[in-house]
Amino acid sequence: MFASGRTQIITSKEAKPGVSQASLKTTDVGSRKGKMAVLPFKIITNMPSVDQESIGRQIQSDCANSIREEAPMIDVIDTRIVNATLAKNNISVESLDLMLPKDLAILLGVEHVVLGSYDIENTGTRSTGSSVTTYNEKKGNKKDKGVAVSSGSSTTSDTFDSRITMDIYNDQGSSIYSVSRKPFSSGLDKYHSTINYLVKRAPFGSKR
């Protein structure tokens, strides 16, 4: 309340996802040099029972570990620090597509950021079977003299159509690596070997 009797009500605004200029780190280019942050992978699927957050963070961790093994000269930021920083700034995995890679790199204090997605669709089931015929009461080696007994077995498995995408940007916002590839084998958890394959062929990889 003012001396004149006038009052002013101040209300706080609800925090919205995103990075404000005030929240961006003021680290310079030199302090970010050689550092890399792998962000949680976005999971795109038609399977509602899949824990997308858990799998996205598992691929994030696997990718970070693969980069450490392939390029030990790169300082890969702990994924727990990355995720805590994102949460503190109200940044969800879904909102990463709406953010500038440059802003993410500055926020995380790194020279490079790794963004990715795992698109996996359950396309149905496939059955495979086999049949075996045996002969009882055989006379000598002649199978046509006995009684034929047939037995069979079949298995049913899910089929998937999947693709892994990986993008690496520098702290200037430029893309230095962008690739998309189908996993080598089918299945929800069959991404690890493909992640290693893509990392080895990144600009810092041994198969570049």
Side-chain angles (χ1 to χ4, degrees), residues 109-139:
V110 296
E111 183 181 11
H112 295 98
V113 290
V114 181
L115 295 145
S117 64
Y118 184 31
D119 190 335
I120 180 164
E121 179 183 0
N122 187 317
T123 57
T125 58
R126 178 178 59 189
S127 297
T128 58
S130 60
S131 179
V132 178
T133 300
T134 59
Y135 291 84
N136 294 334
E137 301 178 358
K138 293 189 297 182
K139 294 182 179 180

Side-chain angles (χ1 to χ4, degrees), residues 3 27 65 69 74 113 134 150 152 175 180 199:
T27 55
N65 289 334
E69 293 177 2
I74 296 178
V113 290
T134 59
S150 298
S175 172
S180 181
V199 167

Side-chain angles (χ1 to χ4, degrees), residues 31-43:
S31 64
R32 296 195 299 270
K33 191 72 174 178
K35 296 180 180 179
M36 178 177 287
V38 180
L39 284 80
F41 274 57
K42 181 178 181 180
I43 307 301

Side-chain angles (χ1 to χ4, degrees), residues 12-208:
S12 60
K13 294 183 179 180
E14 182 180 354
K16 296 181 179 180
V19 182
S20 66
Q21 291 300 316
S23 67
L24 290 175
K25 287 187 175 181
T26 58
T27 55
D28 56 24
V29 175
S31 64
R32 296 195 299 270
K33 191 72 174 178
K35 296 180 180 179
M36 178 177 287
V38 180
L39 284 80
F41 274 57
K42 181 178 181 180
I43 307 301
I44 305 169
T45 181
N46 64 345
M47 297 178 283
S49 61
V50 169
D51 187 342
Q52 298 183 30
E53 180 179 356
S54 177
I55 294 178
R57 291 194 175 189
Q58 183 59 55
I59 301 177
Q60 173 195 21
S61 179
D62 285 357
C63 183
N65 289 334
S66 182
I67 295 173
R68 290 189 184 99
E69 293 177 2
E70 182 67 15
M73 76 292 294
I74 296 178
D75 182 7
V76 182
I77 305 301
D78 191 312
T79 56
R80 290 170 294 185
I81 296 176
V82 172
N83 295 337
T85 303
L86 295 178
K88 184 178 180 180
N89 287 274
N90 300 306
I91 302 172
S92 65
V93 176
E94 291 72 21
S95 65
L96 289 175
D97 291 339
L98 305 176
M99 301 193 63
L100 296 175
K102 175 181 178 180
D103 288 347
L104 289 170
I106 296 174
L107 173 69
L108 296 167
V110 296
E111 183 181 11
H112 295 98
V113 290
V114 181
L115 295 145
S117 64
Y118 184 31
D119 190 335
I120 180 164
E121 179 183 0
N122 187 317
T123 57
T125 58
R126 178 178 59 189
S127 297
T128 58
S130 60
S131 179
V132 178
T133 300
T134 59
Y135 291 84
N136 294 334
E137 301 178 358
K138 293 189 297 182
K139 294 182 179 180
N141 292 324
K142 297 182 179 181
K143 294 182 179 179
D144 58 347
K145 297 296 184 179
V147 178
V149 179
S150 298
S151 63
S153 63
S154 64
T155 59
T156 301
S157 58
D158 291 328
T159 58
F160 300 92
D161 183 19
S162 53
R163 180 169 294 275
I164 293 177
T165 300
M166 182 186 295
D167 295 291
I168 303 179
Y169 295 86
N170 61 24
D171 55 2
Q172 302 303 308
S174 299
S175 172
I176 67 167
Y177 185 56
S178 182
V179 65
S180 181
R181 185 180 180 88
K182 284 181 172 293
F184 295 108
S185 55
S186 177
L188 182 62
D189 58 349
K190 303 301 183 181
Y191 51 80
H192 187 74
S193 60
T194 308
I195 288 291
N196 287 338
Y197 178 91
L198 298 181
V199 167
K200 287 179 181 296
R201 284 155 180 79
F204 49 79
S206 59
K207 301 294 184 180
R208 180 63 175 178

